[in-house]
Amino acid sequence: MKILAIDTATEACSAALYIDGVITEQYQLAPREHTKLILKMIEALLDQSDIELLALDALAFGCGPGSFTGVRIATGVIQGLAFASDLPVLPVSTLAAIAQQAYDDHQHQYVLSAIDARMEEMYWACYHLGDNGLMKLAGEEKVSSAQKVKLAVDLSTSWSGAGSAWESYSEQLNAVLGIQVKAIYPDYLPHASSIVKLAVDDFQQGKAVEASQALPIYLRNDVAKKKASQ
Amino acid sequence: MIVLGIESSCDETGLAVYDTERGLLADVLHSQVALHGEYGGVVPELASRDHVRYLLPLTEQVLTKAGITKSELDGVAYTAGPGLMGALMVGACTGRAMAMALGIPAVAVHHMEGHLLAPMLEEAVPEFPFVALLVSGGHTLLAEVKGIGQYELLGESLDDAAGEAFDKTAKMLGLGYPGGPILARLAEQGEAGAYRFPRPMCDRPGLDFSFSGLKTFSLNTWQKETEQGNKNEQTQANICRAFEDAVVDTLVIKSRRAIQQVGAKTLVIAGGVGANLSLRKSLNTMMQKEGGQLFYPRIEFCTDNGAMIAYAGALRLLGGETEPLAINVRARWPMSELDAVVN
Ligand SMILES: Nc1ncnc2c1ncn2[C@@H]1O[C@H](COP(=O)(O)OP(=O)(O)O)[C@@H](O)[C@H]1O
């Protein structure tokens, strides 16, 4: 199986290629440079593996949450590529990608994945280990203040935290959770390599959608005030 | 050469297919007017979100309408500025990636160049050199056009654009959103000469415009009439008429000066306010008197559309211009920075 994934939802920009079990990745911390980099990263990965876009089975992308514009860059690029090449698409959560990395790097089986959403809020979700070494969502992904964060599974298990919200709101989070968090990785950003790994499983489960249905998940939807409520 | 054009710089998603041999094959448009109407103006974030939802379905639609498959495309053109950053990004990311995957060139189009060249999509095509009056929601300018990409700015608005003045005045009169066309419709019922509004900057030489004073003048008139118990629709219509007459007169006076100054025989009008029938009529009369001719796009190509982008893009692709493997958009982009196209 062959899948290409990209992510531009945060200050990180990455692309990864999965070819029959082997993952190669291009990753760069590049605030505001995503539009300059992402297509070249894709081209480089395909060239390195000497493979054409049309020979792939599917495309995947970090569909959010994250910066609105960042999420739309990946969405636009994937929509364009998928439409032109008639490939199916797997939208993968950026929170899932962060949790997956915490498991892959440190074998943490319970991860509270949280991205700073500014305006005193965070995008967050609880992930725990499922089958085949893949992290699974427990409950829902949400946007809220640290005060409203709740762990999905009983507190006796030991949790880890990952993602930028653990930098911005670590004190509030620790206070709210009322437990000792095992480890914290505040510098974790979504990687296309984690996204492609999750996408392979999603693809096998028939979760692929067509290009026009490859849409962002913003979580924050109250972005403007209507005239009546102004 | 068959080119797909993508427009997403503001609140319309426009797609079109232009063939340099057969002309415009198809164009489709999704307007977000209803979406933003609830907010009384364009909400940039909502505009971007809407573009993402509509871009591919409209692309499918326009290809079907054109009777071609995507593999028959020779190039992809998209608006790369000026406009709302997030909205531009949607069309540019999708368009650039689409071209990459199809193995065809992409080209970044200047939105105002698209407007300026829109009259060339009609059967009777203006010949270079001509004077262009570009009047939209964001711009008001007069330019001498010697060829594609050869634009000499003759004059521009020092404050509000003409369309902006229409919209703001309509808003102050409580006419709803988007105000320009509503104000124009109401003006038809207005009595000519009920009020005499100034013709800003016409009493001195030069080709620059200023429209913000007219909006204040309209508001003062409306308030005075309201105080005197004349707050009714006829008063409103009369003010609309006086406002429109003042804007139209000003645009006509400056356009005449421009063609006389450069010795041109052809005037081209483009941009959203070009849809204004009173303006078209008055410019037509003026050009006839001058022994020249007026050209304008069909009404639906005055406002934002994909056709003008496909067309401008096709010309630039023919001229050998292509985008590198990167997505570049610019919220601001002076027209003077465009390169001339030499075929
Ligand atoms: N019939 C009309 N009379 C006057 N103004 C109009 C008319 N139709 C559209 N407009 C104005 O045209 C502008 C939109 O034109 P458009 O070319 O889309 O502008 P932009 O691309 O700068 O937003 C708006 O300001 C609108 O009010």
Side-chain angles (χ1 to χ4, degrees):
Chain A
M1 193 191 309
K2 301 172 180 62
I3 296 181
L4 171 80
I6 62 169
D7 177 74
T8 58
T10 64
E11 52 270 44
C13 177
S14 62
L17 186 58
Y18 174 99
I19 300 184
D20 306 322
V22 180
I23 297 174
T24 50
E25 184 183 51
Q26 297 241 337
Y27 177 93
Q28 199 173 318
L29 263 184
R32 312 189 76 83
E33 290 291 307
H34 302 79
T35 50
K36 305 260 180 298
L37 291 172
I38 191 66
L39 298 179
K40 291 198 182 94
M41 284 181 163
I42 294 171
E43 186 184 51
L45 284 175
L46 293 172
D47 283 355
Q48 271 165 27
S49 299
D50 197 19
I51 189 169
E52 301 270 333
L53 199 61
L54 286 173
L56 300 176
D57 295 294
L59 300 171
F61 73 111
C63 64
S67 117
F68 295 160
T69 299
V71 170
R72 274 194 294 270
I73 291 170
T75 307
V77 167
I78 286 300
Q79 281 198 357
L81 294 177
F83 175 79
S85 53
D86 287 315
L87 288 174
V89 181
L90 301 140
V92 174
S93 157
T94 46
L95 291 169
I98 289 170
Q100 186 63 39
Q101 200 193 334
Y103 173 71
D104 289 343
D105 290 355
H106 306 284
Q107 288 72 52
H108 291 305
Q109 302 193 5
Y110 292 86
V111 177
L112 176 56
S113 187
I115 297 172
D116 188 352
R118 288 179 295 198
M119 302 163 77
E120 298 297 309
E121 288 189 323
M122 61 178 82
Y123 303 118
W124 62 274
C126 297
Y127 278 86
H128 66 84
L129 188 64
D131 300 332
N132 353 313
L134 297 176
M135 294 299 267
K136 265 178 62 106
L137 177 64
E140 275 177 71
E141 298 195 332
K142 290 195 169 140
V143 56
S144 77
S145 63
Q147 283 71 30
K148 295 199 179 130
V149 171
K150 275 202 194 74
L151 292 175
V153 193
D154 76 278
L155 299 179
S156 56
T157 51
S158 59
W159 285 80
S160 303
S164 56
W166 286 96
E167 170 84 49
S168 328
Y169 310 109
S170 59
E171 271 173 42
Q172 292 101 309
L173 279 171
N174 279 315
V176 167
L177 298 180
I179 51 157
Q180 194 55 45
V181 178
K182 207 156 82 172
I184 297 175
Y185 306 97
D187 55 347
Y188 269 31
L189 295 168
H191 276 63
S193 53
S194 313
I195 287 169
V196 86
K197 199 167 181 181
L198 292 160
V200 169
D201 190 60
D202 284 349
F203 184 63
Q204 283 162 339
Q205 290 182 39
K207 290 187 184 162
V209 297
E210 62 176 72
S212 63
Q213 295 310 306
L215 296 169
I217 305 287
Y218 301 105
L219 292 187
R220 179 179 280 151
N221 292 313
D222 53 338
V223 292
K225 283 203 169 66
K226 298 209 172 160
K227 260 197 291 193
S229 57
Q230 263 171 4
Chain B
M1 178 186 275
I2 303 181
V3 178
L4 177 72
I6 304 174
E7 157 61 31
S8 72
S9 68
C10 188
D11 58 348
E12 337 254 19
T13 321
L15 272 297
V17 179
Y18 182 82
D19 182 344
T20 50
E21 258 128 63
R22 292 181 289 164
L24 185 67
L25 299 186
D27 83 286
V28 294
L29 187 85
H30 165 69
S31 167
Q32 305 179 352
V33 162
L35 170 73
H36 300 292
E38 292 183 63
Y39 302 89
V42 176
V43 182
E45 175 59 22
L46 294 183
S48 305
R49 291 186 178 197
D50 212 53
H51 286 305
V52 175
R53 279 191 294 268
Y54 282 94
L55 217 149
L56 285 189
L58 286 172
T59 306
E60 303 245 22
Q61 211 181 315
V62 82
L63 290 175
T64 308
K65 227 172 136 185
I68 64 161
T69 60
K70 52 187 176 260
S71 58
E72 289 172 76
L73 292 172
D74 300 303
V76 178
Y78 46 83
T79 306
L84 300 171
M85 202 62 186
L88 289 166
M89 202 81 103
V90 176
C93 286
T94 313
R96 186 66 198 86
M98 203 184 281
M100 176 189 185
L102 290 170
I104 56 178
V107 65
V109 174
H110 190 289
H111 183 75
M112 298 318 289
E113 176 168 77
H115 273 306
L116 200 145
L117 299 178
M120 302 184 92
L121 285 162
E122 303 308 322
E123 232 156 75
V125 177
E127 272 176 39
F128 300 120
F130 56 75
V131 168
L133 171 65
L134 239 163
V135 271
S136 72
H139 299 258
T140 297
L141 59 89
L142 276 162
E144 186 184 5
V145 180
K146 295 181 184 146
I148 312 293
Q150 294 173 268
Y151 313 125
E152 186 107 20
L153 186 68
L154 300 172
E156 63 189 327
S157 179
L158 304 177
D159 41 55
D160 291 352
E164 192 180 1
F166 264 93
D167 295 337
K168 286 182 177 169
T169 303
K171 197 167 184 176
M172 288 182 330
L173 295 173
L175 297 182
Y177 168 91
I182 304 177
L183 189 155
R185 231 173 297 131
L186 201 53
E188 285 171 24
Q189 294 155 39
E191 202 184 303
Y195 308 100
R196 171 80 192 170
F197 283 20
R199 273 47 176 164
M201 302 186 67
C202 289
D203 54 355
R204 65 189 104 156
L207 295 169
D208 287 335
F209 304 93
S210 164
F211 290 113
S212 74
L214 279 178
K215 143 194 101 187
T216 317
F217 210 90
S218 306
L219 181 65
N220 291 344
T221 309
W222 180 232
Q223 280 171 344
K224 212 182 297 161
E225 292 289 8
T226 305
E227 280 161 25
Q228 291 168 4
N230 298 326
K231 189 177 180 176
N232 56 49
E233 188 165 318
Q234 190 56 49
T235 305
Q236 237 177 359
N238 291 347
I239 294 174
C240 289
R241 178 65 186 263
F243 170 85
E244 188 184 70
D245 284 350
V247 173
V248 168
D249 259 10
T250 306
L251 291 172
V252 171
I253 292 168
K254 300 275 170 163
S255 299
R256 186 196 296 123
R257 259 184 220 173
I259 61 157
Q260 286 172 349
Q261 182 177 315
V262 305
K265 283 284 161 218
T266 307
L267 178 68
V268 161
I269 173 171
V273 184
N276 187 287
L277 296 177
S278 161
L279 176 63
R280 285 184 176 211
K281 215 169 117 207
S282 304
L283 283 173
N284 223 336
T285 311
M286 181 273 284
M287 283 309 287
Q288 269 167 10
K289 276 194 203 143
E290 294 292 320
Q293 210 183 341
L294 176 71
F295 291 85
Y296 41 79
R298 68 195 81 163
I299 298 273
E300 65 266 33
F301 291 168
C302 281
T303 41
D304 294 350
N305 64 87
M308 65 186 195
I309 303 304
Y311 178 71
L315 293 184
R316 290 205 164 265
L317 283 168
L318 280 181
E321 211 167 291
T322 58
E323 275 292 279
L325 195 59
I327 299 143
N328 296 304
V329 298
R330 298 173 63 177
R332 288 168 192 282
W333 184 2
M335 258 182 122
S336 54
E337 287 179 22
L338 289 171
D339 289 330
V341 174
V342 272
N343 285 83

